[in-house]
Amino acid sequence: MQHCILLGAPVQEGASQRGCAMGPEALRTAKLAEALMELGHTVEDRGDVSPRVVPVVPHDNKAIHNLDEVSAWIDALAGQAHNAANSGTPIFLGGDHSMAAGTVSGVARAAAEAGKPLFVLWLDAHPDFHSLSSTGSGNLHGTPVAYFTGQSGFDGFFPTVTHPVDPANIFMMGLRSVDPAENAAMAKTDITLHDMRAMDEFGIVAPLREFLARVKAADGWLHVSLDVDFIDPSIAPGVGTTVPGGATFREAHLILEMAQESGLVGSMDLVELNPFLDERGRTAKLLVDLTASLFGRRIIDRKTKSF
């Protein structure tokens, strides 16, 4: 059993619509802690992170919104994530996906101190691989993966990344909305992409099993970053970035069940939940159910597979 540490990140400054700031409380109301305790885990809720905003140098890209605020969130979350990762299994409650710039960089530091490479399972309709210069919308929830992998263009605007994640250690699933600038930038990296076309054509099990085998062979630390828009909006409407054609209920559960069976998961993000857009808590409850799958809930007991 694990000691799960809940850490709220009510950040909404990286998104185009307000509402994600209510996400952490919605997940608590949907009984996330209770679901984890029912599985035998201990739960410590450390409340919500609160950043200290300090002005940063203005960027030449005038489209960028809330640079000062997002930079402050990254700094605050990186420190809190590092601390939580050294104390248990952190589950970061978002909040828009810009929070991953802080949570993943903080966890990467903890993993490096433990002598483990960090691997990231990125479940999202978007790769979030924009630089500050390439983002056309200026919404900074589109930048975290570029940032925490140490891509250029963030120095002086975001906090320095002390332990960048090797792009070869990232496996993205469910992509179906990729900007040309992101596509070109990712083509220069070793990120593994398994978009919705690939999921439709080749399925989930074989490629995910191959990725988990790589994590195990490297004695790695696996971080799962789950964006609501990974899931089809017909069953997860509480998100401001809906993209039709997402993962089904069973596909999402299967991915998280397989990750749990690997025994490699050390931390998790739950991001982009916007309760203002939800239907009577439907999406929040689904995220709680999916988290339960990642932490051991199953329909029937099965022997743990060897990856």
Side-chain angles (χ1 to χ4, degrees):
M1 295 296 105
Q2 294 166 270
H3 179 59
C4 300
I5 298 174
L6 307 184
L7 194 64
V11 52
Q12 61 185 4
E13 287 82 0
S16 59
Q17 297 190 55
R18 299 179 66 179
C20 285
M22 299 184 286
E25 196 55 39
L27 290 165
R28 294 182 176 106
T29 302
K31 299 184 177 181
L32 175 60
E34 291 85 343
L36 293 166
M37 288 188 286
E38 286 175 4
L39 293 168
H41 304 294
T42 58
V43 177
E44 175 188 354
D45 190 339
R46 294 190 176 181
D48 293 346
V49 174
S50 180
R52 184 174 67 89
V53 179
V54 176
V56 299
V57 178
H59 196 276
D60 289 341
N61 183 352
K62 302 306 180 185
I64 291 176
H65 309 296
N66 306 317
L67 181 59
D68 294 356
E69 291 84 355
V70 172
S71 181
W73 272 111
I74 294 169
D75 185 57
L77 284 167
Q80 293 285 350
H82 173 256
N83 182 275
N86 280 323
S87 307
T89 304
I91 303 174
F92 305 106
L93 316 179
D96 72 63
H97 222 159
S98 67
M99 64 181 260
T103 60
V104 175
S105 56
V107 169
R109 178 183 162 201
E113 291 169 353
K116 292 177 175 289
L118 184 67
F119 287 75
V120 178
L121 177 58
W122 190 262
L123 305 175
D124 196 335
H126 310 86
D128 295 349
F129 207 75
H130 272 294
S131 69
L132 295 179
S133 297
S134 72
T135 174
S137 70
N139 299 321
L140 295 177
H141 64 175
T143 64
V145 182
Y147 168 74
F148 67 63
T149 55
Q151 306 303 305
S152 62
F154 293 95
D155 290 347
F157 302 102
F158 284 177
T160 300
V161 180
T162 59
H163 295 83
V165 178
D166 185 345
N169 292 356
I170 298 174
F171 184 41
M172 294 185 171
M173 300 188 78
L175 299 181
R176 56 195 188 279
S177 178
V178 183
D179 291 338
E182 293 177 296
N183 204 13
M186 288 190 298
K188 300 174 184 177
T189 74
D190 292 322
I191 293 174
T192 301
L193 308 175
H194 196 66
D195 62 10
M196 284 308 302
R197 163 67 187 268
M199 285 175 59
D200 291 341
E201 191 169 357
F202 304 110
I204 290 168
V205 174
L208 180 55
R209 187 168 287 162
E210 181 180 345
F211 172 68
L212 293 172
R214 287 203 291 117
V215 182
K216 183 176 181 180
D219 189 27
W221 178 315
L222 179 59
H223 178 85
V224 177
S225 198
L226 173 60
D227 190 314
V228 173
D229 70 21
F230 168 73
I231 309 159
D232 193 80
S234 65
I235 57 172
V239 63
T241 51
T242 55
V243 184
T248 67
F249 179 88
R250 272 308 310 157
E251 286 172 333
H253 273 285
L254 176 59
I255 289 167
L256 296 173
E257 288 164 3
M258 289 180 63
Q260 188 277 330
E261 289 174 353
S262 75
L264 298 165
V265 177
S267 47
M268 180 187 198
D269 297 322
L270 294 169
V271 306
E272 295 286 352
L273 172 62
N274 189 329
F276 187 76
L277 303 174
D278 205 1
E279 300 170 357
R280 301 177 64 86
R282 181 182 179 190
T283 308
K285 292 173 184 175
L286 175 58
L287 286 182
V288 169
D289 284 344
L290 290 169
T291 304
S293 285
L294 187 64
F295 284 85
R297 182 187 289 172
R298 58 187 66 194
I299 298 171
I300 59 174
D301 285 331
R302 297 178 176 86
K303 292 182 180 179
T304 301
K305 295 183 175 69
S306 176
F307 290 92

